[in-house]
Amino acid sequence: MYARKLNLQPFARHKSLFLLGPRQTGKSTLLQRDFPEACYIDLLDNEIFRRFAGAPERLRDAVGGHKQVIVDEIQKLPGLLDETQRLIDTRDVHFLLTGSSARKLRRGKANLLGGRALFFNLHPLCSAEIGYDRIPDLLQRGGLPGFVDSPIHWEELRAYTGAYLREEIQAEALTRSIENFSRFLDVAVHFNCEQLNYSKIGNDADIAPRTIKDYVKILEDTLVLHILPPFCQRNKRKLAATEKVYFFDIGVANALARRRELPAGSPEYGKALEQLVFLELHAAIEYQRLEVRLSYWRTRTQLEVDFLLDDRIAIEVKATKHVAPADLKSLRAIAEELNLEKRLLVCQEPYYRQTEDGIEIVPVAEFCKRLWEGEVILGHL
């Protein structure tokens, strides 16, 4: 069992919590490990689901004298949240509610407890949890805890993308046509780490662009897809205004693309490295509850910096083992527009170094380590 970087205990002493994340990210394991005395209710158990579906008030008896209660997959039974609120208000019970679909909670007009609960997301394993020396495993296998160490991880990833990303989404009544949605997934994964182009995806999948927008929103709401906004502050150069997308797990993206191997030096490897850095940044910001806006910077002339933290820190990712002057072009261009605190190029060079104009060349493992130690965003690298 991996030690997770998300520490919920300081918050759970005072409030109820929603813990959201795709299936198999380890939500139940985390809560049962950190709160072993809590009453545990699993709505994926058909018998338990039927018990509460017909009479939500039975939750009162199930809770008994417990002061902490875990309810797994609350989106399966949003009507249970009214009874949850009543117990919070009358018995001072703290609930730990997991879910894999924020969409169903919202669309079902569920009671989100009106400020009585805090929201957290659990991501797949990050480098600080699995070990910085295992970054190659994250690039090939992804970070779903149940799969990354499996001797048959590829088969398990294929089953996951079939059973969950297709059938489960249909079971949640999020789309009428699983055939169209499956076709969309087959095409959309090739736009991972790219700007969203609804027309292009629609043409490739033979689906109307408006429907593609709906499908992208489904993946975002079910926490399978992350949206990275463009940096829009006015400056000298005209900037792109289109969002980029990243799948929540590299292994899942590889499985959807039917990419069993990821050869070093290939364009796909470069994308996977960029996706890794995005997922690390995204998880670190959320787990540490940082008030930092993550975006990307791109001009109409195709100069691009992969990640921008507020308007202070620019990060470019290159899979190269030998950084050339051309690799630094975008980081030098953005410095003409913004008063940056630092510029980082994350790559596969073996050692940290700095250019004459202050760009920091950082090996990927060292970048991840310093990120989780608070030196990238909070301190100085």
Side-chain angles (χ1 to χ4, degrees):
M1 184 184 298
Y2 292 99
R4 305 305 297 264
K5 283 293 183 179
L6 179 59
N7 183 8
L8 297 173
Q9 291 175 326
F11 304 96
R13 297 190 192 106
H14 308 286
K15 299 279 285 188
S16 292
L17 311 177
F18 282 96
L19 180 60
L20 305 179
R23 299 273 178 85
Q24 301 288 341
T25 48
K27 300 184 298 294
S28 305
T29 301
L30 175 65
L31 292 181
Q32 290 181 78
R33 184 200 67 187
D34 287 357
F35 306 97
E37 304 302 320
C39 172
Y40 179 66
I41 298 169
D42 183 7
L43 294 180
L44 290 177
D45 184 308
N46 289 332
E47 183 178 343
I48 292 173
F49 176 85
R50 287 194 297 269
R51 179 185 176 194
F52 292 114
E57 65 275 8
R58 289 176 178 168
L59 184 62
R60 303 172 207 171
D61 294 331
V63 167
H66 287 87
K67 288 299 182 183
Q68 286 186 326
V69 180
I70 299 169
V71 181
D72 233 344
E73 299 296 341
I74 187 63
Q75 85 278 351
K76 292 286 185 183
L77 200 56
L80 206 58
L81 287 164
D82 289 334
E83 197 61 42
T84 297
Q85 179 177 324
R86 185 174 290 109
L87 289 169
I88 292 172
D89 291 342
T90 60
R91 295 194 199 173
D92 194 29
V93 179
H94 289 172
F95 282 85
L96 307 165
L97 307 160
T98 80
S100 54
S101 174
R103 183 184 183 92
K104 190 162 187 182
L105 290 173
R106 288 199 295 267
R107 289 290 180 93
K109 297 182 179 179
N111 177 356
L112 297 181
L113 305 180
R116 296 171 180 82
L118 301 174
F119 282 79
F120 295 83
N121 290 325
L122 186 64
H123 302 275
L125 292 170
C126 65
S127 61
E129 295 166 336
I130 195 173
Y132 302 111
D133 60 331
R134 294 194 63 189
I135 285 175
D137 287 336
L138 291 177
L139 291 171
Q140 295 280 350
R141 300 179 172 212
L144 292 176
F147 302 162
V148 68
D149 293 318
S150 171
I152 56 169
H153 73 278
W154 178 251
E155 296 302 325
E156 295 198 271
L157 282 169
R158 286 182 63 196
Y160 181 92
T161 56
Y164 176 48
L165 295 186
R166 302 174 197 267
E167 295 163 18
E168 282 290 323
I169 286 173
Q170 184 185 40
E172 296 281 0
L174 297 179
T175 178
R176 295 178 181 177
S177 172
I178 195 63
E179 292 81 9
N180 281 351
F181 190 80
S182 294
R183 206 160 63 248
F184 156 74
L185 276 178
D186 290 339
V187 171
V189 71
H190 297 290
F191 289 83
N192 186 33
C193 308
E194 301 284 352
Q195 288 182 308
L196 267 175
N197 187 327
Y198 296 110
S199 296
K200 180 69 166 61
I201 298 173
N203 288 337
D204 290 352
D206 195 23
I207 299 170
R210 182 174 180 178
T211 303
I212 296 297
K213 280 190 176 183
D214 291 340
Y215 286 169
V216 168
K217 187 61 177 170
I218 287 171
L219 290 183
E220 184 184 9
D221 287 347
T222 51
L223 312 172
V224 170
L225 205 65
H226 299 302
I227 304 295
L228 180 67
F231 182 77
C232 295
Q233 181 176 310
R234 289 191 178 190
N235 56 17
K236 299 173 187 174
R237 294 176 170 89
K238 291 185 178 180
L239 300 181
T242 307
E243 299 166 326
K244 292 178 72 174
V245 293
Y246 293 87
F247 276 78
F248 81 103
D249 179 72
I250 302 173
V252 168
N254 288 340
L256 282 169
R258 299 176 179 86
R259 191 164 48 233
R260 188 186 288 264
E261 299 293 335
L262 198 63
S266 66
E268 292 78 15
Y269 187 92
K271 277 192 176 184
L273 194 66
E274 178 186 333
Q275 185 180 2
L276 172 81
V277 172
F278 169 80
L279 295 175
E280 296 277 319
L281 286 167
H282 189 56
I285 289 168
E286 290 199 343
Y287 287 179
Q288 297 169 22
R289 311 295 275 184
L290 302 176
E291 294 184 10
V292 175
R293 176 179 170 81
L294 181 61
S295 63
Y296 80 99
W297 182 87
R298 183 171 183 170
T299 71
R300 299 286 176 85
T301 57
Q302 310 306 308
L303 289 171
E304 180 173 335
V305 173
D306 293 320
F307 308 111
L308 196 58
L309 302 173
D310 292 331
D311 56 357
R312 301 182 299 114
I313 303 167
I315 301 171
E316 178 72 356
V317 183
K318 298 289 184 183
T320 182
K321 295 181 180 179
H322 305 284
V323 173
D327 297 322
L328 304 172
K329 185 177 180 181
S330 293
L331 286 173
R332 286 173 172 151
I334 195 174
E336 298 172 4
E337 309 288 343
L338 300 173
N339 185 23
L340 296 163
E341 294 178 12
K342 51 190 170 185
R343 294 168 293 161
L344 313 177
L345 191 141
V346 181
C347 62
Q348 296 191 98
E349 282 201 5
Y351 303 108
Y352 172 91
R353 63 185 177 90
Q354 207 171 55
T355 65
E356 291 183 357
D357 58 341
I359 296 175
E360 299 171 72
I361 312 298
V362 194
V364 61
E366 183 173 348
F367 170 81
C368 291
K369 185 174 186 293
R370 296 197 181 196
L371 171 68
W372 287 103
E373 290 176 351
E375 297 178 24
V376 172
I377 300 176
L378 299 180
H380 295 282
L381 190 63

